[in-house]
Amino acid sequence: MSAREEGGLHAPAHASHSSAGHGHPAEHTPVFTGDNRKKLDEILSRYPSKMAALLPALWIAQDEQGWVSEGAMAEIAGLLELTPAYVKGVVTFYTMYHQHPVGRHFIQVCTTSPCGVCGAEDVAKAFLKHTGCGELGVTSPDGKYTVIEVECLGACGFATPIMINDDFIESVTPERVPEILGTLK
Amino acid sequence: MGYPHKSHPRETPILSKHFGDPDARTLSGWRQRGGYRALEQALGTSPADIVNVVKESGLRGRGGAGFPTGMKWSFMKPGDGKPHYLCCNADESEPGTFKDREIMRWTPHALIEGCAIGAHAIGAETAYIYIRGEFTEPIRVMEEAVRDAYRDGILGKNAMGSGKRVDVHVHRGAGAYICGEETALMNSLEGRRGNPRIKPPFPAVAGLFGQPTTINNVETLTAVPHILTNGAAWYKAMSLSSPKSTGSKLFSVCGNIRKPGNYEITMGFPFKEFLYDLCGGPLPGRKFKAIIPGGSSVPIQTVEEAEATLMDYEGFVAQGTMLGSGGVIVFDDSQCMVKQIARLARFYAHESCAQCTQCREGTAWTTRILERIEHGEGTMEDLDTLLEIGDNMTGKTICVLSDSCATPVASGIKKWRNEFEAHIKQKRCPMRTAVAA
């Protein structure tokens, strides 16, 4: 671990980070209290370094908040003895951590080649149409849905697989889209 | 059993025997099917003896590279006073591949058993199973199975009463194809960006947390208990062609084919019979046009090449490609090869970790040119440029993601050059117009 990571440069857990375009920094409600803290402590016991708990900690924050806010990054940095900048560097590497709030139902449609040749692009279009999102990556006006294309979900024999939050649905066709959306609240 | 379809009579269901059987997921169900007997036996056997059995069996890595597993394990020096680690690569992200997903979903204890035996064999007390973040169901199933294995004393400080410590932990990734590269996986597990590391040092010298580490694919580790139970000779005898390729192998089949899914066959099975007999052949009224047999990173085969192939490490090489991860992607005559190759390149451009210039720039540039040609805006010089970029992307970077992008492009231009030229000359996709008309 570098001197910078070990040094006294960490922001306190409640540090406010004003980020460009967001106006006033939002007040951060700590994520790692109660059960989440216990969960993190158990995870820390699995590794010889605190830093190894970073991805799991980010998952806990995202499960709690629906995305990973700068406040959560700073809180995690404090707990794992890292800098907020380091944590943000890791967050931005991985596609599954949301750096901004997303729709309550985050819909990922696999359109990589094996699904692409089975009509995945039409599935993505059907979701855009029936959710009212209109465009990939844009949240619907009611805040309910965000639809994105995702690279290979690893279920190529069940084209087209999609994910809605943590739920995986196989063999989706454009015709099934209204029925699938109907099951969501 | 079998999943999503019943095993075909010509399959060799060993790893996939219990796919589709929910009872095999539970610890009691797994024990009833003979589970954990191999681990019990292994914990009473010296690591060196286990490594020798695996060496003799001829088992080779099922993740893509095909490196002999026993030899890999023998690189771990016993008694060096350092903590050793086992990583199980469950970051299955290679387009076309979905076999490890089914192993974890249906037979989680088989993988835990393989990990525990592997850990013991390389002198490690801890194994981490790194599962890609999108695999929510396999993660849930694996975590529950690990909890049950701890509760039952199979894992922990006194594994199966042997006095030896074996810990197995599930670690969730967060969306990055590159983390299937072994050193990127280690960086990711350590809480870093998933950039591949420069080698040497190799993982057996300085891997996870800087300590000696072995990394094996899910399917590789799952085969190990069967080898210990039935013996190296039994495994070695499962081979229909080359003695260098032994055992059974899971192939994932997808794309334009009647019966997509996972199939487990004996190494050396004829690819033609596999495609037409087991997988049902092309969709009604269609013909096969191109086949990628080992995940999207291997050279694309023509139908003639595929039909002449024997399915093992040497057999695929003899027909100009590689076995890779065993992810078979089938394209039929309704597909435009320029569009398909452009889509593959886009995948690699999206997944490049951007560490090496050749890859960061090369994958994006390649994609832009291919999409330009697809839309009828390409020139003949573009084809030369693509091959030239490909040359500069091959063998020049820290990992092989860059090569993996260049490979299908080069084989695609070589084998379907007429389609590329037609796009350029007619200034449109000839197939798209044909469909529209």
Side-chain angles (χ1 to χ4, degrees):
Chain A
M1 195 176 278
S2 75
R4 198 165 68 93
E5 283 159 357
E6 283 177 337
L9 293 173
H10 336 120
H14 300 283
S16 308
H17 286 267
S18 64
S19 53
H22 282 91
H24 299 290
E27 193 64 39
H28 174 63
T29 311
V31 170
F32 294 91
T33 56
D35 281 352
N36 283 341
R37 182 65 213 230
K38 264 189 235 154
K39 224 189 280 176
L40 182 64
D41 286 340
E42 192 277 317
I43 288 166
L44 280 164
S45 73
R46 301 175 187 175
Y47 308 99
S49 83
K50 283 192 174 182
M51 193 165 83
L54 180 51
L55 266 60
L58 290 167
W59 277 121
I60 293 174
Q62 180 151 306
D63 283 347
E64 192 67 38
Q65 303 184 315
W67 62 299
V68 185
S69 65
E70 302 237 347
M73 291 183 215
E75 185 188 351
I76 291 168
L79 290 166
L80 302 184
E81 296 172 15
L82 305 165
T83 66
Y86 177 85
V87 173
K88 189 163 189 177
V90 170
V91 167
T92 54
F93 187 86
Y94 298 95
T95 56
M96 292 185 81
Y97 297 127
H98 306 311
Q99 296 166 58
H100 303 281
V102 293
R104 209 154 66 246
H105 303 292
F106 186 74
I107 302 170
Q108 306 187 68
V109 182
C110 176
T111 59
T112 311
S113 315
C115 293
V117 299
C118 296
E121 283 172 22
D122 294 332
V123 176
K125 278 183 200 148
F127 273 109
L128 287 176
K129 184 181 153 204
H130 291 287
T131 55
C133 289
E135 231 180 292
L136 292 168
V138 174
T139 301
S140 60
D142 57 4
K144 217 170 152 182
Y145 305 107
T146 308
V147 182
I148 66 156
E149 283 186 0
V150 66
E151 292 292 356
C152 197
L153 281 179
C156 323
F158 309 92
T160 296
I162 65 157
M163 282 184 85
I164 302 181
N165 297 341
D166 273 350
D167 293 327
F168 212 99
I169 308 175
E170 295 171 351
S171 311
V172 177
T173 55
E175 294 72 39
R176 279 185 67 197
V177 169
E179 162 223 318
I180 290 167
L181 291 174
T183 63
L184 305 175
K185 282 186 188 144
Chain B
M1 301 284 294
Y3 185 85
H5 41 71
K6 271 208 159 86
S7 297
H8 189 278
R10 296 188 67 191
E11 281 187 68
T12 313
I14 294 166
L15 308 184
S16 60
K17 191 177 172 191
H18 304 294
F19 283 8
D21 177 1
D23 198 40
R25 278 182 176 175
T26 64
L27 179 53
S28 59
W30 191 245
R31 280 192 183 278
Q32 278 163 21
R33 287 162 182 75
Y36 290 115
R37 277 185 218 151
L39 175 59
E40 199 166 14
Q41 176 199 333
L43 289 168
T45 311
S46 80
D49 287 347
I50 298 172
V51 172
N52 279 335
V53 172
V54 174
K55 261 189 189 168
E56 271 172 46
S57 76
L59 174 65
R60 291 168 67 176
R62 303 299 197 223
F67 194 83
T69 307
M71 194 190 290
K72 194 186 244 188
W73 287 5
S74 71
F75 294 155
M76 301 287 281
K77 292 224 162 55
D80 57 5
K82 296 177 182 171
H84 292 186
Y85 292 104
L86 177 71
C87 287
C88 170
N89 189 342
D91 192 60
E92 185 171 58
S93 310
E94 176 79 5
T97 318
F98 49 98
K99 61 189 177 66
D100 298 340
R101 174 177 185 254
E102 302 308 328
I103 290 174
M104 293 188 283
R105 279 168 95 193
W106 297 110
T107 57
H109 288 286
L111 178 58
I112 294 171
E113 187 167 7
C115 286
I117 295 171
H120 173 57
I122 62 161
E125 291 188 336
T126 310
Y128 296 104
I129 305 175
Y130 183 103
I131 309 181
R132 65 177 295 185
E134 293 87 348
F135 276 180
T136 45
E137 190 196 349
I139 290 169
R140 210 161 46 230
V141 173
M142 285 307 308
E143 281 180 338
E144 198 182 313
V146 166
R147 262 198 303 276
D148 289 346
Y150 270 104
R151 200 174 302 134
D152 215 52
I154 292 164
L155 299 175
K157 60 180 181 229
N158 182 18
M160 299 194 92
S162 64
K164 297 187 177 83
R165 180 171 199 115
V166 182
D167 283 317
V168 175
H169 303 296
V170 172
H171 192 97
R172 182 183 184 186
Y177 166 75
I178 191 58
C179 290
E181 197 280 342
E182 57 184 18
T183 56
L185 185 149
M186 289 171 198
N187 272 343
S188 180
L189 221 157
E190 289 179 11
R192 303 172 194 273
R193 291 165 70 90
N195 292 327
R197 299 175 182 171
I198 294 171
K199 286 161 269 187
F202 290 96
V205 175
L208 187 64
F209 304 116
Q211 304 297 341
T213 303
T214 292
I215 180 159
N216 291 126
N217 170 259
V218 169
E219 189 185 350
T220 313
L221 287 168
T222 309
V224 169
H226 296 283
I227 293 171
L228 292 198
T229 303
N230 300 301
W234 164 81
Y235 199 76
K236 214 174 169 178
M238 272 192 284
S239 176
L240 300 172
S241 51
S242 165
K244 289 182 187 166
S245 293
T246 63
S248 67
K249 171 84 190 87
L250 277 162
F251 283 86
S252 309
V253 183
C254 62
N256 304 131
I257 194 157
R258 273 198 211 215
K259 286 172 68 189
N262 280 295
Y263 297 85
E264 188 174 5
I265 47 106
T266 299
M267 283 286 191
F269 197 92
F271 201 18
K272 185 175 182 180
E273 290 168 38
F274 179 83
L275 291 167
Y276 292 90
D277 189 7
L278 274 62
C279 309
L283 296 168
R286 289 286 164 202
K287 277 190 218 140
F288 291 149
K289 182 178 195 174
I291 293 166
I292 306 182
S296 61
S297 304
V298 307
I300 310 174
Q301 285 186 304
T302 62
V303 178
E304 296 70 39
E305 287 167 333
E307 288 182 359
T309 302
L310 294 176
M311 301 171 77
D312 61 21
Y313 294 103
E314 292 69 34
F316 281 108
V317 170
Q319 290 300 326
T321 184
M322 284 183 287
L323 184 146
S325 59
V328 181
I329 310 172
V330 182
F331 302 99
D332 70 16
D333 56 356
S334 69
Q335 303 301 333
C336 163
M337 288 314 288
V338 177
K339 182 181 174 170
Q340 291 314 320
I341 291 162
R343 186 62 188 86
L344 285 172
R346 198 171 107 201
F347 170 82
Y348 291 103
H350 183 267
E351 299 299 338
S352 170
C353 86
Q355 206 179 191
C356 307
T357 310
Q358 295 91 330
C359 179
R360 182 184 62 245
E361 303 300 326
T363 54
W365 191 8
T366 299
T367 307
R368 282 198 302 275
I369 296 177
L370 285 167
E371 290 182 347
R372 185 160 82 211
I373 297 173
E374 189 206 340
H375 294 124
E377 293 152 11
T379 63
M380 288 298 178
E381 290 77 51
D382 280 344
L383 298 181
D384 298 331
T385 310
L386 280 172
L387 295 174
E388 212 172 291
I389 299 170
D391 264 353
N392 285 320
M393 289 169 69
T394 307
K396 296 187 172 65
T397 45
I398 294 173
C399 82
V400 295
L401 189 145
S402 181
D403 308 54
S404 300
C405 178
T407 300
V409 175
S411 60
I413 294 177
K414 195 170 142 205
K415 293 171 190 174
W416 288 277
R417 194 174 180 104
N418 57 333
E419 284 195 30
F420 284 83
E421 290 182 352
H423 279 73
I424 294 165
K425 283 180 191 153
Q426 299 177 29
K427 299 193 185 302
R428 62 188 164 87
C429 172
M431 296 195 69
R432 200 172 289 174
T433 317
V435 171

